[in-house]
Amino acid sequence: MTEGDEQHDAVVGSKLLKDDERWNDVTPIYHSDAENAVVPIAASEEFKDAFAYFRAIVQKDERSERALQLTTHCAELNSANYTVWQYRRNILQSLGSDLHQELKYCAAIIEDNPKNYQVWHHRRVLVEWTKDPSKEIDFTDGILRDDSKNYHAWQHRQWVVEHFKLWGEAELDYSARLLEEDQRNNSAWNYRYFIISNTTGFKGDILEREINATLALIAKAPHNESSWNYLSGILLDAGQSASQQVVEFCESLYSDKKRRSPYLLSFMVDTLSEKIDKGNDAKDNVERAVKLLDELQQIDPMRRKYWLYQKRSIENAVQSKIGA
Amino acid sequence: MFKSSAEGRCGFRGSFAAAPADQDCSGPYDGGHLAQTYSALCCLLVLGDDLSRVDKPGIVAGLRACQLPDGSFCAHSGGSENDMRFVFCAAAISYIIDDFSGINIDSVTDFIRRSVNYDGGIGQGPGLESHGGSTFCAVSTLSLLNRLWDKSVLSTAQIERLRRWCLRKQGVGFHGRANKPDDSCYTFWVGASLSLLGADAFIDHDKLREFVLSTQDATIGGFSKYADSHPDALHTYFSLAGLSLLHEPGLAPVFAALNTTARTAARVGQIRLGHQPP
């Protein structure tokens, strides 16, 4: 490179392709008048240059080193252009490129663009090709350390675990560790449910263990929607009224006025509704449910209309039973 | 509009990034994209077009090419990620062109059923975390396919749990997942879901409105995801659409299932009946 080139590069960041003799054989396709007519994007010179050459080369579906480099350049300018990534994948296959190297590159792009769909999809395809999940757990760990709720990271991790059957204690421990750090991390609860429901299922000792662990966390933070959602979720099959331990825990929590969260009260209403539906001691249960729903309208005023609706629901159901 | 129907690549493009504007069927990377097709059709309806120049069989073939064995859709035949967003696009597209033959309905409804989560909400796919965006996409899809109330996909109990999941997403405004911060765009995603589920009466309208308006930029206008952030087109549109669902005066009524105004959605019916717009 001459001194002039270096200065040029320093100023514009990279050489324009129209000035690069290695691209002389390609006729760039700039925007037509039609494309410039309506809401044109204020693209930089470098952007217009790169994508004009991209558009030209992609017509021919050229699979070459220079095309690969062009996709790198274009991805840097717009990492959300899915055609760039699709073309890049085809080039990688044709050139027989080192996919482990590509995975490293992909990791760097994801770190810079962690909420971009295209780069996560690119990674997934690469892993499908290499059939090597060995880096994926650590990689998603890294992303989640920066943003413990990144949906793409969780989705990728769940896909890897399912696809390569990486179910096991390690993943369960991972969710437990995250919940220890922050029991309000709803993604971690979801992950826990995902692992268990796809392995042992929620029954027997496992169900008991999960109930115990969840109740312990609820006791520490009774106003956490995530833990209560998990509790009702894991009891969907068995039924909330099935666990005497859970029923007693709720009563105990309820006896402390300061810890009566709306989640506790609605959980108790649901347990009563279960009993009512089964015909158990209908009158007492109905009265208690109605009282709790009145209380809910007080302590969760944002949803007062909903709780009133729930109350009427129960009252109507009882009325129709009496009438029947 | 991309014309060749042979390879299932029909639909609308977002731009001509993969093909020059003045050429027809060019290159292996040129093709339609579900989100762009949905957007383009909505734009045409907004502009009062009668869609007579739209290649509907081509679009149907394009949809068919994008449905996967698990019932979900990817965005284009070149391959992409697949999730509830493109399920919605497929349903909305089919609804607008009045042709559902591009969708295997049993398969897509099965995907939705399996995406209902333990907490009653709906994720982007089976096992994925319940999310306001995917919940809207699933509920609106069922609505457009007329499968929301027939108990074929969601039982009455599931509908009730879904309503509660949605209502619990209200902090002051709505957030999209439990224990996440309120964000103005969920005014639509969650608000519209509740509207379709017949439970929007249970929203605290005043608080929600208060939140959305707090995200408005006092200097340049527009809405941001939260207060004192930067306004953008996405949050501005979804704040307005959400406010409209809350019956904010001065805003056109919204047809929640299609994510358009009611007037625009009505164009679909008018086209079906051969009416001319005034």
Side-chain angles (χ1 to χ4, degrees), chain B residues 2 11 31 66 184 195 198 218-219 245 275:
Chain B
F2 187 62
C66 288
S184 62
S195 186
T219 315
L245 288 174
H275 285 174

Side-chain angles (χ1 to χ4, degrees), chain A residues 225-236:
Chain A
E225 182 183 345
S226 297
S227 48
W228 283 103
N229 282 351
Y230 187 77
L231 184 65
S232 22
I234 66 179
L235 290 172
L236 267 177

Side-chain angles (χ1 to χ4, degrees), chain B residues 83-267:
Chain B
D83 53 51
M84 206 62 81
R85 297 173 299 151
F86 303 122
V87 165
F88 168 73
C89 290
I93 288 166
S94 301
Y95 181 89
I96 291 171
I97 64 173
D98 195 21
D99 184 343
F100 288 83
S101 60
I103 301 182
N104 178 326
I105 294 181
D106 286 341
S107 182
V108 80
T109 51
D110 183 61
F111 177 79
I112 291 174
R113 191 187 293 112
R114 288 182 296 109
S115 301
V116 174
N117 213 333
Y118 65 87
D119 56 8
I122 302 179
Q124 287 290 358
L128 296 175
E129 194 181 356
S130 301
H131 185 285
S134 43
T135 294
F136 167 78
C137 289
V139 173
S140 57
T141 295
L142 291 178
S143 176
L144 294 170
L145 296 177
N146 293 303
R147 293 289 188 96
L148 186 52
W149 299 107
D150 67 348
K151 305 183 202 200
S152 68
V153 186
L154 300 177
S155 66
T156 305
Q158 281 178 314
I159 298 248
E160 282 301 330
R161 296 190 85 228
L162 189 48
R163 287 168 155 185
R164 190 185 291 186
W165 182 88
C166 290
L167 289 167
R168 282 201 155 131
K169 296 296 141 304
Q170 183 167 19
V172 183
F174 277 126
H175 41 272
R177 293 183 265 169
N179 289 313
K180 288 272 279 176
D182 294 343
D183 174 334
S184 62
C185 66
Y186 293 104
T187 314
F188 180 78
W189 302 125
V190 179
S193 298
L194 283 166
S195 186
L196 292 168
L197 292 167
D200 54 308
F202 306 136
I203 298 171
D204 186 324
H205 283 221
D206 289 341
K207 286 273 172 214
L208 182 56
R209 182 176 184 273
E210 176 192 308
F211 175 79
V212 180
L213 293 177
S214 77
T215 71
Q216 209 177 185
D217 188 300
T219 315
I220 63 171
F223 295 78
S224 331
K225 63 193 298 194
Y226 6 82
D228 303 319
S229 183
H230 309 288
D232 61 57
L234 183 141
H235 288 92
T236 299
Y237 167 73
F238 285 110
S239 292
L240 290 174
L243 282 171
S244 171
L245 288 174
L246 296 173
H247 313 291
E248 183 68 27
L251 295 177
V254 159
F255 184 76
L258 214 49
N259 183 24
T260 64
T261 59
R263 184 187 69 137
T264 297
R267 288 288 301 135

Side-chain angles (χ1 to χ4, degrees), chain A residues 29 32 34-35 51 54-55 58-61 63 81-83 86-91 115 117-118 121 124 147 149-151 154-155 158 162 183-191 193-194 223-227 229-234 236 262-263 266-267 269-270 296 300-307 309-310 313, chain B residues 12-23 26-33 36 76-83 85-86 117-120 122-131 134 160-161 163-173 175 177-181 199 201-208 225:
Chain A
I29 308 174
S32 62
E35 287 176 273
F51 278 95
F54 177 81
R55 187 149 70 162
V58 98
Q59 302 310 307
K60 303 171 187 160
D61 200 7
R63 311 276 178 100
N81 186 314
Y82 60 87
T83 308
Q86 185 188 345
Y87 181 41
R88 186 183 177 88
R89 282 191 286 278
N90 287 343
I91 297 168
K115 297 197 178 184
Y117 285 90
Q118 288 70 38
H121 177 68
R124 175 158 150 171
D147 175 6
K149 302 180 184 183
N150 182 312
Y151 204 95
W154 284 110
Q155 189 164 4
Q158 286 181 226
E162 188 156 16
Q183 63 150 295
R184 287 175 184 78
N185 184 337
N186 197 68
S187 308
W189 284 102
N190 184 75
Y191 191 63
Y193 187 90
F194 166 74
H223 295 263
N224 177 6
E225 182 183 345
S226 297
S227 48
N229 282 351
Y230 187 77
L231 184 65
S232 22
I234 66 179
L236 267 177
Y263 306 113
S266 72
F267 187 90
V269 170
D270 290 344
L296 269 164
D300 189 15
M302 175 155 281
R303 278 158 280 272
R304 65 196 176 285
K305 293 182 198 161
Y306 176 69
W307 300 124
Y309 161 79
Q310 292 286 67
S313 226
Chain B
F12 287 80
R13 314 168 177 96
S15 70
F16 292 103
D22 56 359
Q23 278 176 243
S26 46
Y29 298 93
D30 192 24
H33 183 290
Q36 304 295 0
H76 61 97
S77 58
S80 78
E81 70 280 12
N82 60 297
D83 53 51
R85 297 173 299 151
F86 303 122
N117 213 333
Y118 65 87
D119 56 8
I122 302 179
Q124 287 290 358
L128 296 175
E129 194 181 356
S130 301
H131 185 285
S134 43
E160 282 301 330
R161 296 190 85 228
R163 287 168 155 185
R164 190 185 291 186
W165 182 88
C166 290
L167 289 167
R168 282 201 155 131
K169 296 296 141 304
Q170 183 167 19
V172 183
H175 41 272
R177 293 183 265 169
N179 289 313
K180 288 272 279 176
F202 306 136
I203 298 171
D204 186 324
H205 283 221
D206 289 341
K207 286 273 172 214
L208 182 56
K225 63 193 298 194

